[in-house]
Amino acid sequence: MSRLKPQKEYEKTFAFHFFRWLSGSKDPYLGEVEMQPQKEIETPESTILERMSERQMIHDKVYDVEKNRKLVLFHKIYVIAAIFFSIVLAGLLLYTVSCLPGTGNASNPANNEVPKRYIEKGLEETGAVNVVTGMILDYRAFDTFGESNVLFIATVTVLILLHRKKKGSGEKEEDDRVFEPKNDVILQASAAILVPVIIIYGIYVILNGHLSPGGGFSGGAIIGAGLILYLTAFGFEKAEKMFTEKTYKAVCFVALTFYCLAKSYSFFTGANHLDSHIPLGEAGHILSSGLILPLNICVGMVVACTMYTFYVMFRKGDF
């Protein structure tokens, strides 16, 4: 019968060291190999200057336009190729223009039943006096919805790329008007008078878009310009009282969602030849043209928010 060895005696045996090495609990080289810390390499100053001189010499030789034959040859080929392709492109464009049909020709592709339908039936079917508005917000409202989404996606992309890390509770906020006039009395007095007029005019252009030239895009751009003027004159502290990042998200979400639901209903009823039960109203009145008026408002809200947000992000990187 084998005798149980004490722990200290067992640790001196070959079996203990072998199984310890086999299990990886001990590095066989640790403590067995002489190790010395590596000395830091110090490069003499003369060697550094020599290397810099050689690098500059190679750079001058490679980019010497006058003496480097390969570079001179490449430059000449590049210029000749650029001139050749420019002439070919100009010739192709001129040839294409010469093949276009004459202006006003009855056989032109543009003179088909589609624009004829817009002009002759537009007022009856959309209720909009402005034919262009009736076309982009009724006949081709799906395209306009895509354009509004493009604006929203572009703004979100700018928010992602230019967004700065927000300051902590104990950190001091940077002066957002460091590169602009501070407390400019003339600018602030002018903005106090012009901003309300600009915004009211933008609202008028949006609400009147189905009756005369205007609409959501142009009116939204006017309102966005008014908001930018207000921010430039009074700074973020006052501007954030009426427009923040949450305001932008809420306005765009509500506007795009309503646009999507409204036109989905309109497309569904139109495709199935069903009555939408949305009255067109009396042509020429402000409350007319069915869904065009609220859709104009949605587009104007998205455009105004997009313009203002672009300005804010490129200027400060945050609301």
Side-chain angles (χ1 to χ4, degrees), residues 16-30:
F16 172 78
H17 293 287
F18 175 76
F19 287 112
R20 187 181 179 187
W21 169 80
L22 187 63
S23 63
S25 59
K26 182 176 184 289
D27 188 349
Y29 297 102
L30 187 63

Side-chain angles (χ1 to χ4, degrees), residues 204-221:
Y204 161 77
V205 172
I206 293 175
L207 298 180
N208 207 50
H210 59 295
L211 304 178
S212 63
F217 284 100
S218 52

Side-chain angles (χ1 to χ4, degrees), residues 97-114:
V97 171
S98 66
C99 294
L100 293 176
T103 303
N105 192 342
S107 61
N108 287 352
N111 297 330
N112 53 32
E113 66 275 5
V114 176

Side-chain angles (χ1 to χ4, degrees), residues 133-148:
T133 303
M135 179 182 67
I136 65 175
L137 286 177
D138 193 285
Y139 291 116
R140 303 190 63 181
F142 185 78
D143 297 343
T144 307
F145 178 61
E147 294 167 4
S148 300

